[in-house]
Amino acid sequence: MPLVPFETLPDDARVWVFAGDRPITGSDATRLLDAVDTYLARWKAHGEPLTVARTFTEDRFLTVAVDQRASHASGCSVDGLFRTLKEVERDAGVSLVGAGRVHYRDADGSVRSVERGDFGDLAAAGRVAADTPVFDPTVTTLGEWRKRFETKVGESWHAQLL
């Protein structure tokens, strides 16, 4: 199944969000998206092609979505996607698959990425607060992604870090 436009998938589509620890631009972004598109174009689960889409936002967030109404992504097929991303990570010198980082918008509107402990330090210094926009890569459906991928600290699990 070829890739479909991201916005055409239903709210119950399964999503995986991969967040770069730094902006991914230029040839690194091209390499990332080419590798992901190649994988997604061939992505099958138990021999069945998947209806898939992806978007890349803020030069940092890769979101992959699968419409599981016809066929569900299997653990092995998801592992293949992770392997593809790990190869790109090595080549580009960026972390996409790792956890433990908080992604937020600073006062200038730029997206920043810090370790969780550092986010607490930023809060203590008054540089982030309950109204600071944050990104939640733990969303699991496209409906959640559409509604709360970018939200305020005070309306997300990030509030516990303040």
Side-chain angles (χ1 to χ4, degrees), residues 4 20 71 96 111 116:
V4 298
S71 185
L96 281 163
V111 176
R116 285 185 186 188

Side-chain angles (χ1 to χ4, degrees), residues 4-160:
V4 298
F6 191 78
E7 60 277 357
T8 65
L9 289 181
D11 280 347
D12 63 350
R14 173 71 167 94
V15 298
W16 293 266
V17 179
F18 304 95
D21 61 347
R22 66 166 177 80
I24 305 167
T25 59
S27 63
D28 289 338
T30 300
R31 188 177 313 119
L32 167 66
L33 298 177
D34 287 349
V36 169
D37 288 349
T38 298
Y39 182 82
L40 296 180
R42 299 180 307 209
W43 199 2
K44 294 180 181 180
H46 305 293
E48 294 295 319
L50 298 171
T51 301
V52 298
R54 62 100 177 136
T55 190
F56 185 62
T57 56
E58 305 287 345
D59 290 334
R60 204 179 277 265
F61 303 109
L62 171 68
T63 304
V64 174
V66 175
D67 183 352
Q68 298 197 107
R69 292 177 183 186
S71 185
H72 292 269
S74 66
C76 292
S77 68
V78 174
D79 288 347
L81 175 61
F82 276 77
R83 280 191 302 276
T84 297
L85 293 174
K86 291 302 270 180
E87 289 174 19
V88 173
E89 281 184 333
R90 269 194 316 273
D91 294 343
V94 64
S95 175
L96 281 163
V97 180
R101 299 192 71 79
V102 174
H103 305 276
Y104 69 98
R105 282 195 194 280
D106 67 14
D108 296 329
S110 297
V111 176
R112 303 286 181 206
S113 175
V114 296
E115 296 290 332
R116 285 185 186 188
D118 294 337
F119 192 74
D121 294 342
L122 290 172
R127 294 182 52 204
V128 296
D131 63 344
T132 300
V134 290
F135 298 87
D136 185 358
T138 67
V139 297
T140 60
T141 68
L142 192 50
E144 289 176 334
W145 186 89
R146 288 173 172 144
K147 291 178 186 163
R148 64 177 186 87
F149 173 59
E150 183 174 358
T151 189
K152 296 190 182 312
V153 168
E155 298 170 5
S156 133
W157 63 265
H158 297 85
Q160 66 187 325

